[in-house]
């Protein structure tokens, strides 16, 4: 990796960034506690694929174009916020109660695909992630290299790998508490409602935030 410097420091910083609680962490934990290990895994993998989209966009320059165009940035921002609010409303209105976690959404292939796709979109439609990639990754690329796209791709995929591993660890940690929800199945519906409110709050925050 001659085009990249301080790669070890980059990995350490990536782990610290991924450990910081945020939208992706809340989504993985909410799906894991509400739908079980398989649902949480689908959420973590969906977010990972969303991060790959940001990596590819940064490598080909689309993220730079997004940042340079206020209208395009605002369009993505509004789409992402609206999607978060829409998911939150759906969870609050859901009538899922008293179902064992492993026989609810986590065992339905279509539901798992939906959770995966929601995770992908919540990450891919988050313009702050695009800004992060453009501000963080270039710090570890040699200024005189002629392969900046390749370096961005390598760094981005490394960041995705650390983030996905952390997401899967979150799923495992949530799985340790799953027995509590199996003993009290109505907590599942309450968790959906609480998680829905969190997502709606995140969506409103994105709309109101000044970036």
């Amino acid at each position: 990796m001659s085009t990249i410097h301080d790669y070890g420091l980059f990995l350490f910083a990536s782990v610290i960034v991924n450990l910081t609680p945020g939208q992706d962490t809340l989504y993985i934990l909410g799906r894991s506690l509400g739908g079980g290990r398989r649902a949480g895994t689908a959420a973590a993998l969906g977010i990972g694929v969303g991060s790959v989209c940001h990596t590819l966009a940064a490598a080909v320059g689309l993220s730079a174009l997004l940042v340079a165009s206020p209208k395009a940035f605002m369009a993505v921002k509004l789409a992402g916020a609206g999607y978060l609010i829409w998911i939150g409303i759906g969870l609050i209105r859901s009538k899922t109660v008293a179902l064992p976690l492993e026989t609810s959404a986590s065992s339905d292939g279509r539901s798992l695909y939906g959770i995966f796709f929601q995770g992908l979109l919540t990450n891919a439609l988050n313009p702050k992630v695009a800004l992060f990639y453009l501000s963080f990754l270039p710090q570890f690329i040699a200024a005189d290299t002629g392969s900046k796209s390749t370096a961005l791709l390598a760094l981005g995929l490394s960041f995705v790998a650390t983030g996905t591993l952390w997401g899967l660890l979150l799923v495992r940690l949530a799985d340790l508490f799953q027995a509590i929800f199996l003993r009290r199945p109505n907590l599942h519906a309450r968790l959906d409602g609480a998680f829905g409110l969190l997502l709606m709050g995140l969506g409103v925050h994105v709309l109101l935030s000044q970036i």
Side-chain angles (χ1 to χ4, degrees):
M1 290 189 178
S2 58
T3 60
I4 298 173
H5 61 82
D6 298 317
Y7 184 66
L9 177 61
F10 168 78
L11 290 178
F12 177 76
S14 296
V15 171
I16 297 301
V17 169
N18 283 311
L19 288 177
T20 304
Q23 175 178 310
D24 292 345
T25 299
L26 288 175
Y27 185 76
I28 293 171
L29 286 176
R31 286 307 189 183
S32 298
L33 293 174
R37 176 172 48 82
R38 295 178 63 195
T41 299
L45 294 178
I47 287 171
V49 173
S51 296
V52 171
C53 292
H54 282 290
T55 298
L56 295 175
V60 300
L62 293 180
S63 290
L65 178 63
L66 183 66
V67 174
S69 172
K71 290 183 179 180
F73 182 84
M74 184 57 64
V76 173
K77 180 179 178 180
L78 293 175
Y83 190 69
L84 285 174
I85 294 172
W86 182 73
I87 295 175
I89 292 174
L91 285 171
I92 292 173
R93 296 178 61 187
S94 67
K95 304 299 183 181
T96 306
V97 291
L99 290 176
L101 295 181
E102 289 297 334
T103 61
S104 57
S106 61
S107 63
D108 188 333
R110 291 172 300 176
S111 296
L112 290 176
Y113 176 79
I115 291 171
F116 170 87
F117 192 64
Q118 285 178 349
L120 189 160
L121 286 183
T122 56
N123 184 277
L125 292 177
N126 187 347
K128 289 185 177 180
V129 179
L131 281 178
F132 170 78
Y133 269 66
L134 286 181
S135 61
F136 180 61
L137 301 187
Q139 306 303 320
F140 299 90
I141 298 176
D144 57 349
T145 181
S147 305
K148 288 185 173 61
S149 294
T150 302
L152 279 170
L153 185 62
L155 290 172
L157 292 178
S158 297
F159 184 79
V160 172
T162 60
T164 302
L165 288 174
W166 168 240
L168 294 175
L169 178 59
L170 283 176
V171 174
R172 177 56 182 164
L173 292 174
D175 192 46
L176 297 177
F177 295 93
Q178 189 178 30
I180 297 175
F181 292 89
L182 288 173
R183 289 195 298 267
R184 301 178 63 184
N186 25 325
L187 282 178
H188 186 189
R190 295 180 183 178
L191 182 64
D192 276 351
F195 182 55
L197 287 173
L198 277 175
L199 284 182
M200 289 181 66
L202 283 171
V204 172
H205 176 71
V206 170
L207 285 174
L208 299 178
S209 64
Q210 299 295 321
I211 302 177

